[in-house]
PDB file of all heavy atoms in Angstrom:
ATOM      1  N   THR B 201      32.875 -32.682-105.833  1.00 96.00           N
ATOM      2  CA  THR B 201      33.679 -32.505-104.652  1.00 96.00           C
ATOM      3  C   THR B 201      35.094 -32.608-105.251  1.00 96.00           C
ATOM      4  O   THR B 201      35.466 -33.277-106.249  1.00 96.00           O
ATOM      5  CB  THR B 201      33.422 -33.738-103.808  1.00 96.00           C
ATOM      6  OG1 THR B 201      32.119 -33.912-103.559  1.00 96.00           O
ATOM      7  CG2 THR B 201      34.262 -33.537-102.527  1.00 96.00           C
ATOM      8  N   GLY B 202      35.894 -31.753-104.580  1.00 96.00           N
ATOM      9  CA  GLY B 202      37.319 -31.546-105.180  1.00 96.00           C
ATOM     10  C   GLY B 202      38.271 -31.136-104.063  1.00 96.00           C
ATOM     11  O   GLY B 202      39.331 -30.471-104.447  1.00 96.00           O
ATOM     12  N   TYR B 203      38.060 -31.658-102.825  1.00 94.00           N
ATOM     13  CA  TYR B 203      39.066 -31.237-101.800  1.00 94.00           C
ATOM     14  C   TYR B 203      39.697 -32.450-101.178  1.00 94.00           C
ATOM     15  O   TYR B 203      40.486 -32.069-100.132  1.00 94.00           O
ATOM     16  CB  TYR B 203      38.304 -30.377-100.741  1.00 94.00           C
ATOM     17  CG  TYR B 203      37.037 -31.076 -99.999  1.00 94.00           C
ATOM     18  CD1 TYR B 203      37.281 -31.960 -98.973  1.00 94.00           C
ATOM     19  CD2 TYR B 203      35.768 -30.924-100.598  1.00 94.00           C
ATOM     20  CE1 TYR B 203      36.207 -32.558 -98.341  1.00 94.00           C
ATOM     21  CE2 TYR B 203      34.823 -31.554 -99.968  1.00 94.00           C
ATOM     22  CZ  TYR B 203      34.933 -32.258 -98.805  1.00 94.00           C
ATOM     23  OH  TYR B 203      33.957 -33.041 -98.297  1.00 94.00           O
ATOM     24  N   PHE B 204      39.615 -33.749-101.656  1.00 95.00           N
ATOM     25  CA  PHE B 204      40.529 -34.662-101.094  1.00 95.00           C
ATOM     26  C   PHE B 204      40.801 -35.674-102.326  1.00 95.00           C
ATOM     27  O   PHE B 204      40.157 -35.568-103.347  1.00 95.00           O
ATOM     28  CB  PHE B 204      39.752 -35.505-100.043  1.00 95.00           C
ATOM     29  CG  PHE B 204      38.429 -36.098-100.471  1.00 95.00           C
ATOM     30  CD1 PHE B 204      38.522 -37.500-100.890  1.00 95.00           C
ATOM     31  CD2 PHE B 204      37.193 -35.551-100.451  1.00 95.00           C
ATOM     32  CE1 PHE B 204      37.305 -38.159-101.227  1.00 95.00           C
ATOM     33  CE2 PHE B 204      36.081 -36.094-100.761  1.00 95.00           C
ATOM     34  CZ  PHE B 204      36.056 -37.427-101.210  1.00 95.00           C
ATOM     35  N   ASP B 205      41.865 -36.354-102.269  1.00 94.00           N
ATOM     36  CA  ASP B 205      42.489 -37.227-103.218  1.00 94.00           C
ATOM     37  C   ASP B 205      41.424 -38.126-103.987  1.00 94.00           C
ATOM     38  O   ASP B 205      41.486 -38.290-105.142  1.00 94.00           O
ATOM     39  CB  ASP B 205      43.666 -38.014-102.774  1.00 94.00           C
ATOM     40  CG  ASP B 205      44.844 -37.213-102.572  1.00 94.00           C
ATOM     41  OD1 ASP B 205      44.813 -35.914-102.964  1.00 94.00           O
ATOM     42  OD2 ASP B 205      45.806 -37.682-101.909  1.00 94.00           O
ATOM     43  N   GLY B 206      40.537 -38.789-103.226  1.00 94.00           N
ATOM     44  CA  GLY B 206      39.552 -39.720-103.720  1.00 94.00           C
ATOM     45  C   GLY B 206      38.420 -39.065-104.359  1.00 94.00           C
ATOM     46  O   GLY B 206      37.615 -39.652-105.088  1.00 94.00           O
ATOM     47  N   ALA B 207      38.247 -37.748-104.340  1.00 97.00           N
ATOM     48  CA  ALA B 207      37.226 -37.049-104.937  1.00 97.00           C
ATOM     49  C   ALA B 207      37.332 -37.023-106.481  1.00 97.00           C
ATOM     50  O   ALA B 207      38.386 -37.028-106.990  1.00 97.00           O
ATOM     51  CB  ALA B 207      37.012 -35.587-104.402  1.00 97.00           C
ATOM     52  N   PRO B 208      36.168 -36.808-107.198  1.00 98.00           N
ATOM     53  CA  PRO B 208      36.230 -36.737-108.703  1.00 98.00           C
ATOM     54  C   PRO B 208      36.934 -35.519-109.165  1.00 98.00           C
ATOM     55  O   PRO B 208      37.476 -35.545-110.316  1.00 98.00           O
ATOM     56  CB  PRO B 208      34.834 -36.902-109.098  1.00 98.00           C
ATOM     57  CG  PRO B 208      34.035 -36.435-107.821  1.00 98.00           C
ATOM     58  CD  PRO B 208      34.768 -36.828-106.738  1.00 98.00           C
ATOM     59  N   GLY B 209      36.988 -34.399-108.382  1.00 98.00           N
ATOM     60  CA  GLY B 209      37.462 -33.196-108.940  1.00 98.00           C
ATOM     61  C   GLY B 209      36.600 -32.527-110.047  1.00 98.00           C
ATOM     62  O   GLY B 209      35.738 -33.168-110.572  1.00 98.00           O
ATOM     63  N   ARG B 210      36.973 -31.318-110.325  1.00 98.00           N
ATOM     64  CA  ARG B 210      36.107 -30.518-111.256  1.00 98.00           C
ATOM     65  C   ARG B 210      36.661 -30.502-112.709  1.00 98.00           C
ATOM     66  O   ARG B 210      36.331 -29.581-113.464  1.00 98.00           O
ATOM     67  CB  ARG B 210      35.764 -29.200-110.698  1.00 98.00           C
ATOM     68  CG  ARG B 210      35.058 -29.233-109.387  1.00 98.00           C
ATOM     69  CD  ARG B 210      34.683 -27.828-108.933  1.00 98.00           C
ATOM     70  NE  ARG B 210      34.133 -28.035-107.589  1.00 98.00           N
ATOM     71  CZ  ARG B 210      33.865 -27.093-106.640  1.00 98.00           C
ATOM     72  NH1 ARG B 210      34.225 -25.832-106.962  1.00 98.00           N
ATOM     73  NH2 ARG B 210      33.276 -27.340-105.533  1.00 98.00           N
ATOM     74  N   MET B 211      37.591 -31.274-113.034  1.00 98.00           N
ATOM     75  CA  MET B 211      38.399 -31.203-114.335  1.00 98.00           C
ATOM     76  C   MET B 211      37.433 -31.386-115.464  1.00 98.00           C
ATOM     77  O   MET B 211      37.347 -30.585-116.374  1.00 98.00           O
ATOM     78  CB  MET B 211      39.440 -32.331-114.437  1.00 98.00           C
ATOM     79  CG  MET B 211      40.445 -32.171-113.267  1.00 98.00           C
ATOM     80  SD  MET B 211      40.124 -32.835-111.769  1.00 98.00           S
ATOM     81  CE  MET B 211      40.085 -34.672-112.063  1.00 98.00           C
ATOM     82  N   SER B 212      36.560 -32.442-115.379  1.00 98.00           N
ATOM     83  CA  SER B 212      35.561 -32.756-116.478  1.00 98.00           C
ATOM     84  C   SER B 212      34.397 -31.709-116.591  1.00 98.00           C
ATOM     85  O   SER B 212      33.966 -31.350-117.643  1.00 98.00           O
ATOM     86  CB  SER B 212      34.927 -34.114-116.282  1.00 98.00           C
ATOM     87  OG  SER B 212      36.012 -35.127-116.557  1.00 98.00           O
ATOM     88  N   ALA B 213      34.026 -31.181-115.458  1.00 98.00           N
ATOM     89  CA  ALA B 213      33.018 -30.265-115.263  1.00 98.00           C
ATOM     90  C   ALA B 213      33.365 -29.010-115.960  1.00 98.00           C
ATOM     91  O   ALA B 213      32.594 -28.318-116.759  1.00 98.00           O
ATOM     92  CB  ALA B 213      32.540 -29.992-113.862  1.00 98.00           C
ATOM     93  N   ILE B 214      34.634 -28.498-115.814  1.00 98.00           N
ATOM     94  CA  ILE B 214      35.099 -27.345-116.318  1.00 98.00           C
ATOM     95  C   ILE B 214      35.322 -27.418-117.822  1.00 98.00           C
ATOM     96  O   ILE B 214      34.953 -26.617-118.656  1.00 98.00           O
ATOM     97  CB  ILE B 214      36.372 -26.909-115.705  1.00 98.00           C
ATOM     98  CG1 ILE B 214      36.189 -26.586-114.227  1.00 98.00           C
ATOM     99  CG2 ILE B 214      37.092 -25.778-116.397  1.00 98.00           C
ATOM    100  CD1 ILE B 214      37.497 -26.192-113.441  1.00 98.00           C
ATOM    101  N   TYR B 215      35.880 -28.637-118.183  1.00 98.00           N
ATOM    102  CA  TYR B 215      36.043 -28.951-119.671  1.00 98.00           C
ATOM    103  C   TYR B 215      34.704 -28.825-120.403  1.00 98.00           C
ATOM    104  O   TYR B 215      34.607 -28.313-121.477  1.00 98.00           O
ATOM    105  CB  TYR B 215      36.807 -30.181-119.861  1.00 98.00           C
ATOM    106  CG  TYR B 215      36.980 -30.625-121.339  1.00 98.00           C
ATOM    107  CD1 TYR B 215      37.825 -29.816-122.173  1.00 98.00           C
ATOM    108  CD2 TYR B 215      36.119 -31.413-122.014  1.00 98.00           C
ATOM    109  CE1 TYR B 215      37.935 -30.200-123.485  1.00 98.00           C
ATOM    110  CE2 TYR B 215      36.055 -31.686-123.349  1.00 98.00           C
ATOM    111  CZ  TYR B 215      37.043 -31.144-124.117  1.00 98.00           C
ATOM    112  OH  TYR B 215      37.117 -31.394-125.433  1.00 98.00           O
ATOM    113  N   THR B 216      33.754 -29.606-119.962  1.00 98.00           N
ATOM    114  CA  THR B 216      32.465 -29.761-120.554  1.00 98.00           C
ATOM    115  C   THR B 216      31.722 -28.489-120.618  1.00 98.00           C
ATOM    116  O   THR B 216      30.969 -28.213-121.529  1.00 98.00           O
ATOM    117  CB  THR B 216      31.683 -30.853-119.848  1.00 98.00           C
ATOM    118  OG1 THR B 216      32.440 -32.078-119.803  1.00 98.00           O
ATOM    119  CG2 THR B 216      30.316 -31.106-120.577  1.00 98.00           C
ATOM    120  N   ALA B 217      31.796 -27.664-119.611  1.00 98.00           N
ATOM    121  CA  ALA B 217      31.164 -26.417-119.578  1.00 98.00           C
ATOM    122  C   ALA B 217      31.658 -25.513-120.700  1.00 98.00           C
ATOM    123  O   ALA B 217      30.947 -24.832-121.319  1.00 98.00           O
ATOM    124  CB  ALA B 217      31.470 -25.675-118.143  1.00 98.00           C
ATOM    125  N   GLY B 218      33.052 -25.458-120.807  1.00 98.00           N
ATOM    126  CA  GLY B 218      33.645 -24.744-121.943  1.00 98.00           C
ATOM    127  C   GLY B 218      33.219 -25.319-123.279  1.00 98.00           C
ATOM    128  O   GLY B 218      33.086 -24.609-124.214  1.00 98.00           O
TER     129      GLY B 218
END
Side-chain angles (χ1 to χ4, degrees):
T201 309
Y203 58 85
F204 62 93
D205 287 347
R210 299 179 185 172
M211 300 82 71
S212 290
I214 292 172
Y215 175 80
T216 303

